[in-house]
Amino acid sequence: MPIRLRLALWCGSILAVALLGFSTLTYVLVEHRLRTSDDDQIAGRAHRIAALLQSTAPQSTARIIRIFSSPGVDVVLVDARGRTVDRTPGMGVAFELFQRALVAEAGRFFDQELGGDRYRLYALGRSGPGRVAGIVVGHDEAEIDRVLRTLLGLLVAGCIACLAAVVAAAWVLASRALSPVDQITRTAARIAASGQSTERVRAPTRLDEVGRLAATFNQMLAAIDAGQATQRRFVSDASHELRAPLTTIRGNADLLLIDSNIPPEERRDALEDISTEAARLTRLVDGLLALARSDAGALQPPEPLALHELVASSIERIDRRLAPGPRVSLGRCEPAVVLAVPDRLEQLLIILLENALKYTPADGLIVGTLETARGLAYLRVRDTGIGIAPEDLPHIFERFYRADPARTRGQPGSGLGLAIARTIVEESGGRIAVASEPGRGTSFTIQLPLAARPPHAQGDC
Ligand code: ADP
């Protein structure tokens, strides 16, 4: 059942219960009030007649009847033997037939059908001077019944009109409030059918629940759209990056196959090219695999790791390398235990140190430091290399982004290193930042939360 119908029915049901209670109460109270005042009226007349009879001569009964009879109210006076002494003129015979029995039950109210009309009767016995031994005052209830019927009709009609108006209003309001939801559903169905997330929902101007839903839905579509665009760019960049080394490998391999008389130096050059490009391909595929694993969340569980030991050993290993290049040294190093996957953090250090080596001249310096403050470990890799141009800085963590080769001295690379570095840092709940000045050097700072209870935090670097 649609929500708008359910809402309308709920409103209608609640109102129906409230109206039923109110109408019943009103009807019962009005009926009780009318009947009580009617009883008071006929009993009062009977008692006033009795009081008058105490002081009036018997022949004045005709006057008493005149005074106390009125349209709808009849009076009968009877003697001790039940015979009529006097009565309201024009009364039906039936009334007289009953009055004898009534006198026997003096002091009570009766409801009696007389000649098709409902009468409320009050009978009062008396002893004292005069013939009159009993007084009966009766009131025709037709008037009260008419008033009550009119009231009932008004209440029923009012309740039905009220209910219909409220149910209709609830339906219209719910339909208006929920129309953006319908639109969201239709848009979502269209996107599901076409796979295109470029469509947007027309968000209502008011920021109520539905407005927020529409706005959030649009944000979600924008995020999906951006994600798809990134994915497309990634696939196209990856294909492009893979094609270049493959073309070189194939060209050189074809050359070696076709020409058997190729001079030994050229053969060697071709084989070297193949080897270099194969290594580049391997790095690229490793990088893509690392990113894909991290995107899929297929990672080992993190464990407490003595970061100071890892930093010290990585720097020492790089410094002991045979290739010529800048000096790599360890600066201030405080003990720090973080929750991370050891292989991944090692990979992070290798990326940062190898980048520093690539972009720092041989007479330059690379320094790694590790400090702790306010529950965080700060790992820095500083170099005195070529630096990064301000226009490149915002992009260097993007996948496949490489700064202008003229600036980067044509160093080999895939543009995936820093993207992987950022993923690794974020996996461990940390942040990576860069500060650089072209021509003076670059500093990468990694901020990682310290493990709550370091198992062997003491120790040195
Ligand atoms: P690459 O494989 O090109 O090194 P990265 O993602 O590791 O890819 O780095 C992206 C770009 O950031 C590099 O092309 C380079 O221009 C710049 N870069 C990274 N580290 C440094 C550094 N230490 N000094 C200067 N430039 C750097």
Side-chain angles (χ1 to χ4, degrees):
M1 195 193 289
I3 293 181
R4 67 202 66 187
L5 183 59
R6 260 188 286 161
L7 269 176
L9 288 181
W10 266 106
C11 284
S13 313
I14 293 168
L15 187 72
V17 171
L19 285 177
L20 190 71
F22 170 77
S23 308
T24 311
L25 197 69
T26 308
Y27 185 86
V28 168
L29 282 178
V30 169
E31 184 183 26
H32 180 258
R33 184 83 197 95
L34 286 175
R35 300 222 185 272
T36 323
S37 77
D38 188 40
D39 283 358
D40 289 350
Q41 192 196 359
I42 56 176
R45 285 191 191 199
H47 284 285
R48 284 213 303 283
I49 292 170
L52 273 176
L53 285 171
Q54 286 299 113
S55 58
T56 315
Q59 59 267 30
S60 62
T61 53
R63 203 167 155 254
I64 289 173
I65 294 292
R66 240 191 350 269
I67 294 170
F68 289 97
S69 299
S70 59
V73 179
D74 299 317
V75 180
V76 177
L77 303 176
V78 292
D79 63 13
R81 294 171 61 190
R83 285 175 307 202
T84 302
V85 177
D86 213 336
R87 63 179 174 84
T88 305
M91 277 181 69
V93 184
F95 194 93
E96 278 192 68
L97 291 176
F98 276 103
Q99 44 92 5
R100 293 184 184 90
L102 296 177
V103 173
E105 300 247 22
R108 281 186 53 195
F109 289 101
F110 299 86
D111 287 311
Q112 196 64 59
E113 283 265 342
L114 295 173
D117 292 332
R118 272 191 347 103
Y119 267 82
R120 181 77 170 160
L121 304 172
Y122 183 73
L124 183 66
R126 71 172 287 275
S127 56
R131 271 180 67 206
V132 179
I135 305 155
V136 181
V137 182
H139 182 229
D140 189 350
E141 296 282 271
E143 182 58 26
I144 291 180
D145 289 346
R146 229 183 350 266
V147 170
L148 286 176
R149 265 200 308 278
T150 309
L151 176 68
L152 188 67
L154 281 175
L155 285 174
V156 170
C159 288
I160 290 173
C162 231
L163 264 179
V166 166
V167 169
W171 170 274
V172 170
L173 285 178
S175 300
R176 275 176 54 186
L178 291 173
S179 79
V181 178
D182 277 346
Q183 213 206 333
I184 290 175
T185 313
R186 282 196 300 272
T187 310
R190 270 200 304 273
I191 291 171
S194 68
Q196 292 295 325
S197 54
T198 42
E199 275 201 63
R200 295 290 177 272
V201 172
R202 195 157 35 83
T205 39
R206 262 179 297 161
L207 260 194
D208 52 12
E209 289 84 343
V210 178
R212 282 202 298 278
L213 172 69
T216 313
F217 186 75
N218 279 343
Q219 280 166 12
M220 188 193 74
L221 287 179
I224 292 175
D225 214 16
Q228 282 182 347
T230 310
Q231 197 72 20
R232 277 195 296 271
R233 209 170 48 239
F234 180 68
V235 171
S236 128
D237 288 348
S239 327
H240 181 78
E241 289 291 327
L242 287 170
R243 188 166 335 133
L246 280 175
T247 313
T248 313
I249 290 172
R250 213 172 141 200
N252 282 304
D254 286 350
L255 184 75
L256 292 173
L257 278 174
I258 295 165
D259 192 352
S260 51
N261 299 325
I262 194 162
E265 303 89 69
E266 275 184 40
R267 173 182 293 273
R268 194 183 154 71
D269 283 353
L271 285 171
E272 259 177 13
D273 275 359
I274 290 177
S275 168
T276 313
E277 292 305 311
R280 188 172 151 200
L281 262 184
T282 310
R283 276 200 310 275
L284 199 63
V285 172
D286 283 349
L288 286 173
L289 205 62
L291 283 172
R293 281 212 189 104
S294 148
D295 285 351
L299 295 169
Q300 295 161 10
E303 55 184 77
L305 171 79
L307 187 58
H308 47 284
E309 289 171 10
L310 184 68
V311 172
S313 63
S314 303
I315 288 183
E316 200 193 322
R317 212 172 33 250
I318 291 263
D319 198 35
R320 270 198 279 110
R321 77 202 182 283
L322 292 175
R327 261 200 60 218
V328 185
S329 66
L330 180 64
R332 188 180 164 80
C333 180
E334 294 176 12
V337 176
V338 294
L339 265 187
V341 181
D343 289 352
R344 300 282 285 164
L345 269 204
E346 191 175 352
Q347 191 183 3
L348 166 72
L349 277 165
I350 290 171
I351 290 170
L352 294 180
L353 289 170
E354 284 191 345
N355 268 355
L357 279 178
K358 270 197 286 187
Y359 303 113
T360 306
D363 57 350
L365 186 64
I366 298 165
V367 183
T369 60
L370 179 62
E371 286 164 294
T372 56
R374 295 181 298 277
L376 294 170
Y378 292 90
L379 165 65
R380 281 192 189 87
V381 176
R382 274 200 310 268
D383 64 56
T384 57
I386 58 169
I388 302 169
E391 64 269 22
D392 289 325
L393 268 183
H395 305 291
I396 57 169
F397 294 105
E398 289 171 15
R399 295 173 182 193
F400 293 113
Y401 187 84
R402 306 202 66 216
D404 181 3
R407 281 213 181 93
T408 56
R409 304 185 300 166
Q411 285 289 350
S414 60
L416 287 179
L418 289 180
I420 296 172
R422 185 172 66 174
T423 320
I424 295 173
V425 173
E426 286 173 356
E427 274 163 18
S428 305
R431 287 192 348 218
I432 184 167
V434 59
S436 184
E437 217 179 307
R440 305 210 49 182
T442 306
S443 168
F444 283 94
T445 304
I446 283 124
Q447 186 184 308
L448 289 171
L450 290 170
R453 262 191 314 111
H456 45 82
Q458 67 275 51
D460 224 345
C461 303

